[in-house]
């Protein structure tokens, strides 16, 4: 069932775990994420990024409608989140397309600009009924806040949340986007200090590159939303490659998308079993 993101996150947090948010690129991603969540018996967040919208010819509505329909038919609570948005125009499309939340990403901007822009976006989004996530890192390097060495300062994070009014904060603690091996090491001590300094839920981006033990420790330390994207694509593409490798005669996409979707669902279920409390334990 479609559930507001804020409600879903608060419920999972109250039960001592994290909400996992998985990136949707195609309809098969959305179906796989919900299948995995149903298998694990956990709530889940479907998130569509500005980059994914660009892939869909810049049109949010069709992929959002598909994800929303998949969410509404699900046997577990499912939230819809618009991720890594830099465009104000795209933010305006979130509520009308059924999203419960957005992540406004001004993390590459200098601190003062990030604060001013995020505060104004958060006010507008709250007026539209949306839960708002934003990001603060110590900007440096071409990858911005998610360059591996970048860290969020706890005192600055507390001031930032108070000044912007955001509902959740993505922090830089050692993860990095789009890793295809799981070798990232998180600054677990910093996660605890950030949790103690910042009242709102903390969000970990780039979680595909983080091994299970580090993810579990991060949730124990205070991470409440865990964003996973690349791991699904690794599963999807690996299954397609294995299916097509020695089958030049195979042309029906259902023949290779079925194992690809199953591989993603298994990845989703494994992450949820590790990090998220089941609805009926
Ligand atoms: O916002 C999305 C996530 O940060 C996904 O990162 O693709 O490295 O898992 P990832
Ligand atoms: Zn991210």
């Amino acid at each position: 069932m479609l559930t507001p993101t804020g409600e879903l996150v608060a419920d999972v947090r109250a039960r001592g775990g994290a909400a996992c948010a998985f990136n949707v690129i195609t309809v098969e991603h959305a179906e796989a994420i919900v299948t995995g969540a149903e298998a694990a018996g956990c709530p889940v967040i479907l998130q569509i990024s500005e980059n994914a919208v660009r892939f869909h010819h810049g049109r949010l509505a069709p992929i959002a409608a598909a994800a929303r329909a998949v969410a509404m038919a699900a046997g577990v609570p499912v939230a819809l989140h618009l991720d890594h948005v830099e465009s104000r125009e795209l933010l305006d499309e979130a509520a009308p397309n059924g999203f419960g939340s957005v992540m406004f990403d001004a993390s590459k901007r200098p601190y003062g600009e990030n604060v001013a822009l995020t505060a104004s976006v958060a006010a507008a989004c709250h007026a539209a009924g949306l839960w708002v996530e934003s990001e603060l890192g110590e900007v440096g390097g071409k990858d911005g806040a998610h360059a591996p060495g970048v860290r969020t300062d706890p005192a600055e994070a507390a001031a930032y949340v108070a000044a912007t009014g955001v509902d959740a904060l993505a922090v830089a603690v050692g993860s990095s986007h789009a890793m295809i091996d799981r070798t990232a090491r998180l600054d677990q001590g910093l996660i605890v200090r950030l949790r103690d300094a910042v009242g709102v839920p903390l969000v970990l981006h780039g979680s595909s590159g983080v091994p299970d033990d580090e993810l579990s420790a991060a949730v124990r330390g205070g991470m409440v939303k865990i964003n996973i994207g690349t791991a699904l694509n690794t599963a999807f593409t690996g299954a397609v490659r294995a299916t097509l490798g020695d089958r030049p005669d195979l042309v029906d996409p259902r023949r290779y998308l079925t194992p690809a979707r199953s591989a993603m669902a298994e990845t989703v279920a494994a992450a949820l079993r590790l990090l998220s409390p089941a609805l009926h334990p």
Side-chain angles (χ1 to χ4, degrees):
M1 68 221 69
L2 186 63
T3 305
T5 312
E7 220 173 85
L8 187 152
V9 170
D11 170 65
V12 171
R13 187 190 201 190
R15 292 189 293 122
C20 292
F22 297 93
N23 284 76
V24 170
I25 300 177
T26 68
V27 174
E28 286 73 21
H29 285 71
E31 291 171 334
I33 294 162
V34 164
T35 300
E38 288 173 339
C42 294
V44 77
I45 301 171
L46 301 179
Q47 57 187 14
I48 298 174
S49 71
E50 185 169 302
N51 274 337
V53 173
R54 207 167 289 130
F55 166 72
H56 290 290
H57 309 295
R59 295 189 185 115
L60 174 63
I63 186 68
R68 187 163 175 266
V70 171
M72 287 169 73
V76 292
V78 181
L80 268 193
H81 177 77
L82 194 56
D83 198 31
H84 282 292
V85 181
E86 297 182 25
S87 143
R88 292 290 288 257
E89 292 72 29
L90 185 59
L91 285 173
D92 291 341
E93 293 185 53
N97 280 287
F99 288 83
S101 56
V102 297
M103 184 247 190
F104 176 63
D105 188 353
S107 64
K108 296 189 195 83
R109 296 175 185 263
Y111 179 80
E113 252 182 65
N114 185 343
V115 169
L117 264 175
T118 304
S120 108
V121 161
C125 288
H126 285 154
L130 296 164
W131 184 90
V132 180
E133 172 188 334
S134 72
E135 174 164 319
L136 179 65
E138 181 189 308
V139 179
K142 70 177 169 56
D143 297 325
H146 283 293
V150 172
R151 295 290 183 271
T152 303
D153 174 70
E156 193 170 71
Y160 176 88
V161 168
T164 57
V166 293
D167 303 295
L169 185 68
V171 289
V173 294
S175 60
S176 198
H177 279 121
M179 288 176 66
I180 54 170
D181 55 14
R182 302 182 73 191
T183 55
R185 290 283 148 201
L186 301 182
D187 191 334
Q188 301 289 352
L190 177 58
I191 294 171
V192 172
R193 290 198 300 284
L194 285 163
R195 182 210 39 209
D196 292 345
V198 176
V200 299
L202 299 178
V203 184
L204 183 67
H205 281 246
S207 307
S208 295
V210 183
D212 281 356
D213 57 337
E214 289 276 341
L215 286 176
S216 299
V219 172
R220 283 196 302 275
M223 281 293 171
V224 177
K225 177 169 175 273
I226 303 289
N227 284 8
I228 301 172
T230 303
L232 298 196
N233 299 331
T234 301
F236 179 113
T237 306
V240 170
R241 217 171 251 135
T243 309
L244 293 180
D246 50 1
R247 292 290 308 275
D249 58 310
L250 200 160
V251 296
D252 183 339
R254 289 168 294 192
R255 300 292 295 278
Y256 54 86
L257 290 177
T258 299
R261 196 171 49 185
S262 300
M264 289 192 286
E266 279 168 29
T267 302
V268 167
L272 287 168
R273 287 187 180 115
L274 181 73
L275 303 170
S276 230
L279 290 162
H280 306 292

